[in-house]
Amino acid sequence: MADQHHPKDHWTPEAYLTSASFVPSLATTILEWLNPQPDDIILDLGCGDGALTSQLKRRSSSVTGVDASANLITAAKKAHAATAGLSFHVHDCRYLARWVNFQEAAYTKVFSNAALHWILRDPSSRASVLRDTYAVLKPGGAFAFEMGGAGNCAEVHTALMAAVVRQGVSIQNARELCPWFFPSESTMRRMLLDVGFSVEKTEVEYRSTKLTAREEDGGGGGIEGWVRLMGARFLDALDSEEKKEVAVREVCELLKTVITHGDEEDEEDDGGMFLGYVRLRVLARKPV
C-alpha cells in the first residue's frame, strides 16, 4: 500500500487505521474472485498491515505479504507473529524480480487489494511489475486484484492539484506529482494480455465510500486524515510546513459541501463525508 515512489514512509498503522480502515472491509468481492483453497500458496502484493493477508491464510496453505512500507510490515509481523505459514517482507513491488525471495512458478495465486494503483504509477516499471507477477505464478495460477480505476477519487485529486498550484507549483508539475495510476478497464486488460495473461473477468464499480470520522483531538481521520496520508506526495512538494497546512485546509474546505452527504442532525443520515471511489477488479490467469 505504501507509495512506492516516496522516500519518506508516511504510512503508519495509526494513520492507516484512522484514515483508511474501511479499505480491507470492502474487499469481499475480490476475495471471492480469488477463491483461496486449502492447498494454495499465495503472494499478496502491497499487503499493508496484513489485515487481509491474515484472512487469506485462514483459507490457504501459506501466504507471503510484500509491501514497501517498513512501518506497516513491522506492524503486520507484530500482529501475526504466531501464525504459521504467514510471512511479511519489506520490498518495493515495482521491482519484484530484485526481491531476495523472488522465485519463478512459486505461487498458485497472486492477490492485491487497493495497492496496484500505487505500484503501477511509474510508466517505466509498469510492464515489468506485470511480467514479474506472471513469472512467480505456477502455470494455471490466478492473479486477482482490485485497484483504483479511471476517475477514482476525482474530486479530491482535482482539489489537491489546485491547492498545490495555488502555493506556487506549476500545473505540469502538479500533474507529475500524482502518485497513482488509475487505468480504464480496457487499458488494464491490454496490459495483462501483452505479458501473456488470459483475462477471465473484469468489473468496474462506482462506489461512494464513507470516510472515517475525524478525531476531535486532531489525531486524524476524515477528509483531512485522508489528504495527509494519501496526498502526501503532493504536500511534500511544498517548501514549508505553513504552505502544507494551508493546502490541507483549502482541500478540506473546498470539498466540504461537495462530499458531505445528509445532515449531522438527522439520526438516519449523519452528514458523513463520502469520496467517489471507482474500483477496477480483474481476475487473470497464467495459461497452463
Short mmCIF file of all heavy atoms in Angstrom, two decimals, residues 149-178:
data_model
loop_
_atom_site.label_atom_id
_atom_site.label_comp_id
_atom_site.label_asym_id
_atom_site.label_seq_id
_atom_site.Cartn_x
_atom_site.Cartn_y
_atom_site.Cartn_z
N GLY A 149 -9.76 2.59 -10.45
CA GLY A 149 -9.95 2.66 -11.89
C GLY A 149 -10.07 4.09 -12.36
O GLY A 149 -10.04 5.04 -11.55
N ALA A 150 -10.19 4.28 -13.65
CA ALA A 150 -10.26 5.61 -14.24
C ALA A 150 -11.35 6.45 -13.57
O ALA A 150 -12.49 6.01 -13.44
CB ALA A 150 -10.53 5.50 -15.73
N GLY A 151 -10.98 7.64 -13.11
CA GLY A 151 -11.92 8.53 -12.44
C GLY A 151 -11.98 8.35 -10.94
O GLY A 151 -12.76 9.03 -10.26
N ASN A 152 -11.13 7.49 -10.39
CA ASN A 152 -11.16 7.23 -8.95
C ASN A 152 -10.83 8.50 -8.15
O ASN A 152 -9.86 9.19 -8.43
CB ASN A 152 -10.13 6.14 -8.61
CG ASN A 152 -10.19 5.72 -7.15
OD1 ASN A 152 -11.20 5.20 -6.70
ND2 ASN A 152 -9.10 5.94 -6.43
N CYS A 153 -11.68 8.80 -7.18
CA CYS A 153 -11.48 9.94 -6.26
C CYS A 153 -11.13 11.23 -7.01
O CYS A 153 -10.26 12.00 -6.59
CB CYS A 153 -10.39 9.60 -5.25
SG CYS A 153 -10.82 8.24 -4.14
N ALA A 154 -11.84 11.46 -8.11
CA ALA A 154 -11.51 12.60 -8.97
C ALA A 154 -11.65 13.94 -8.26
O ALA A 154 -10.90 14.88 -8.52
CB ALA A 154 -12.39 12.57 -10.22
N GLU A 155 -12.62 14.01 -7.33
CA GLU A 155 -12.85 15.29 -6.67
C GLU A 155 -11.67 15.70 -5.79
O GLU A 155 -11.21 16.85 -5.83
CB GLU A 155 -14.16 15.26 -5.86
CG GLU A 155 -14.21 14.30 -4.68
CD GLU A 155 -14.50 12.87 -5.06
OE1 GLU A 155 -13.53 12.17 -5.41
OE2 GLU A 155 -15.66 12.45 -4.96
N VAL A 156 -11.13 14.75 -5.02
CA VAL A 156 -10.01 15.10 -4.14
C VAL A 156 -8.72 15.21 -4.93
O VAL A 156 -7.83 16.01 -4.58
CB VAL A 156 -9.91 14.09 -2.97
CG1 VAL A 156 -9.48 12.72 -3.45
CG2 VAL A 156 -8.95 14.60 -1.90
N HIS A 157 -8.59 14.44 -5.99
CA HIS A 157 -7.42 14.55 -6.87
C HIS A 157 -7.34 15.97 -7.45
O HIS A 157 -6.28 16.61 -7.42
CB HIS A 157 -7.53 13.49 -7.98
CG HIS A 157 -6.32 13.39 -8.86
ND1 HIS A 157 -6.21 12.46 -9.86
CD2 HIS A 157 -5.18 14.11 -8.91
CE1 HIS A 157 -5.05 12.59 -10.47
NE2 HIS A 157 -4.41 13.59 -9.92
N THR A 158 -8.46 16.45 -7.94
CA THR A 158 -8.51 17.79 -8.50
C THR A 158 -8.22 18.85 -7.45
O THR A 158 -7.47 19.81 -7.68
CB THR A 158 -9.90 18.06 -9.12
OG1 THR A 158 -10.18 17.05 -10.09
CG2 THR A 158 -9.96 19.43 -9.78
N ALA A 159 -8.80 18.68 -6.26
CA ALA A 159 -8.61 19.66 -5.19
C ALA A 159 -7.15 19.70 -4.73
O ALA A 159 -6.61 20.78 -4.43
CB ALA A 159 -9.53 19.33 -4.02
N LEU A 160 -6.50 18.55 -4.66
CA LEU A 160 -5.09 18.51 -4.27
C LEU A 160 -4.21 19.24 -5.29
O LEU A 160 -3.33 20.01 -4.93
CB LEU A 160 -4.63 17.06 -4.13
CG LEU A 160 -4.90 16.39 -2.79
CD1 LEU A 160 -4.78 14.88 -2.91
CD2 LEU A 160 -3.93 16.92 -1.73
N MET A 161 -4.48 18.98 -6.58
CA MET A 161 -3.72 19.67 -7.61
C MET A 161 -3.91 21.18 -7.52
O MET A 161 -2.95 21.95 -7.59
CB MET A 161 -4.12 19.16 -9.00
CG MET A 161 -3.60 17.78 -9.34
SD MET A 161 -4.05 17.28 -11.02
CE MET A 161 -3.25 18.56 -12.00
N ALA A 162 -5.15 21.60 -7.36
CA ALA A 162 -5.45 23.03 -7.28
C ALA A 162 -4.76 23.67 -6.08
O ALA A 162 -4.23 24.78 -6.17
CB ALA A 162 -6.96 23.24 -7.20
N ALA A 163 -4.75 22.97 -4.97
CA ALA A 163 -4.17 23.52 -3.74
C ALA A 163 -2.66 23.73 -3.86
O ALA A 163 -2.13 24.76 -3.42
CB ALA A 163 -4.48 22.61 -2.55
N VAL A 164 -1.96 22.78 -4.47
CA VAL A 164 -0.51 22.95 -4.60
C VAL A 164 -0.17 23.97 -5.68
O VAL A 164 0.84 24.68 -5.59
CB VAL A 164 0.23 21.61 -4.84
CG1 VAL A 164 0.03 20.68 -3.64
CG2 VAL A 164 -0.20 20.93 -6.12
N VAL A 165 -1.01 24.07 -6.70
CA VAL A 165 -0.80 25.10 -7.73
C VAL A 165 -0.93 26.48 -7.10
O VAL A 165 -0.14 27.40 -7.38
CB VAL A 165 -1.79 24.92 -8.90
CG1 VAL A 165 -1.80 26.16 -9.80
CG2 VAL A 165 -1.42 23.69 -9.72
N ARG A 166 -1.90 26.66 -6.21
CA ARG A 166 -2.08 27.95 -5.53
C ARG A 166 -0.87 28.28 -4.65
O ARG A 166 -0.63 29.46 -4.33
CB ARG A 166 -3.35 27.94 -4.68
CG ARG A 166 -4.60 28.25 -5.49
CD ARG A 166 -5.86 28.14 -4.66
NE ARG A 166 -5.84 28.94 -3.44
CZ ARG A 166 -6.11 30.24 -3.36
NH1 ARG A 166 -6.40 30.91 -4.46
NH2 ARG A 166 -6.10 30.86 -2.19
N GLN A 167 -0.10 27.28 -4.26
CA GLN A 167 1.10 27.51 -3.45
C GLN A 167 2.36 27.62 -4.31
O GLN A 167 3.47 27.59 -3.78
CB GLN A 167 1.25 26.39 -2.42
CG GLN A 167 0.14 26.33 -1.40
CD GLN A 167 -0.03 27.65 -0.66
OE1 GLN A 167 0.95 28.26 -0.23
NE2 GLN A 167 -1.28 28.07 -0.50
N GLY A 168 2.19 27.73 -5.62
CA GLY A 168 3.32 28.03 -6.48
C GLY A 168 3.83 26.91 -7.36
O GLY A 168 4.77 27.10 -8.14
N VAL A 169 3.24 25.71 -7.26
CA VAL A 169 3.66 24.59 -8.11
C VAL A 169 3.01 24.76 -9.48
O VAL A 169 1.82 25.12 -9.56
CB VAL A 169 3.24 23.25 -7.48
CG1 VAL A 169 3.57 22.07 -8.40
CG2 VAL A 169 3.91 23.06 -6.12
N SER A 170 3.75 24.52 -10.54
CA SER A 170 3.17 24.64 -11.88
C SER A 170 2.14 23.54 -12.11
O SER A 170 2.20 22.47 -11.48
CB SER A 170 4.25 24.55 -12.96
OG SER A 170 4.76 23.23 -13.05
N ILE A 171 1.23 23.78 -13.02
CA ILE A 171 0.20 22.77 -13.32
C ILE A 171 0.85 21.48 -13.82
O ILE A 171 0.46 20.38 -13.42
CB ILE A 171 -0.81 23.32 -14.35
CG1 ILE A 171 -1.63 24.43 -13.72
CG2 ILE A 171 -1.72 22.20 -14.86
CD1 ILE A 171 -2.61 25.10 -14.68
N GLN A 172 1.87 21.60 -14.68
CA GLN A 172 2.53 20.40 -15.19
C GLN A 172 3.19 19.62 -14.06
O GLN A 172 3.08 18.39 -13.99
CB GLN A 172 3.58 20.77 -16.25
CG GLN A 172 4.30 19.58 -16.86
CD GLN A 172 3.34 18.58 -17.50
OE1 GLN A 172 2.34 18.97 -18.11
NE2 GLN A 172 3.63 17.30 -17.34
N ASN A 173 3.86 20.32 -13.16
CA ASN A 173 4.49 19.63 -12.02
C ASN A 173 3.45 19.02 -11.10
O ASN A 173 3.67 17.94 -10.54
CB ASN A 173 5.39 20.58 -11.24
CG ASN A 173 6.69 20.89 -11.96
OD1 ASN A 173 7.07 20.16 -12.88
ND2 ASN A 173 7.35 21.96 -11.56
N ALA A 174 2.33 19.70 -10.94
CA ALA A 174 1.25 19.15 -10.11
C ALA A 174 0.73 17.84 -10.71
O ALA A 174 0.44 16.89 -9.98
CB ALA A 174 0.12 20.16 -9.98
N ARG A 175 0.62 17.80 -12.04
CA ARG A 175 0.20 16.56 -12.70
C ARG A 175 1.20 15.45 -12.42
O ARG A 175 0.84 14.30 -12.13
CB ARG A 175 0.08 16.77 -14.20
CG ARG A 175 -1.08 17.62 -14.66
CD ARG A 175 -1.27 17.50 -16.16
NE ARG A 175 -2.33 18.38 -16.64
CZ ARG A 175 -2.11 19.52 -17.29
NH1 ARG A 175 -0.86 19.89 -17.56
NH2 ARG A 175 -3.11 20.27 -17.70
N GLU A 176 2.48 15.79 -12.50
CA GLU A 176 3.52 14.78 -12.32
C GLU A 176 3.64 14.30 -10.89
O GLU A 176 4.20 13.22 -10.64
CB GLU A 176 4.86 15.35 -12.80
CG GLU A 176 4.90 15.61 -14.31
CD GLU A 176 6.15 16.33 -14.77
OE1 GLU A 176 6.98 16.69 -13.89
OE2 GLU A 176 6.29 16.55 -15.98
N LEU A 177 3.11 15.08 -9.95
CA LEU A 177 3.15 14.66 -8.54
C LEU A 177 2.16 13.54 -8.23
O LEU A 177 2.29 12.88 -7.20
CB LEU A 177 2.84 15.86 -7.64
CG LEU A 177 3.92 16.93 -7.51
CD1 LEU A 177 3.37 18.14 -6.77
CD2 LEU A 177 5.15 16.35 -6.81
N CYS A 178 1.20 13.35 -9.10
CA CYS A 178 0.18 12.34 -8.82
C CYS A 178 0.82 10.99 -8.53
O CYS A 178 1.58 10.46 -9.34
CB CYS A 178 -0.77 12.21 -10.02
SG CYS A 178 -2.00 10.90 -9.79
#
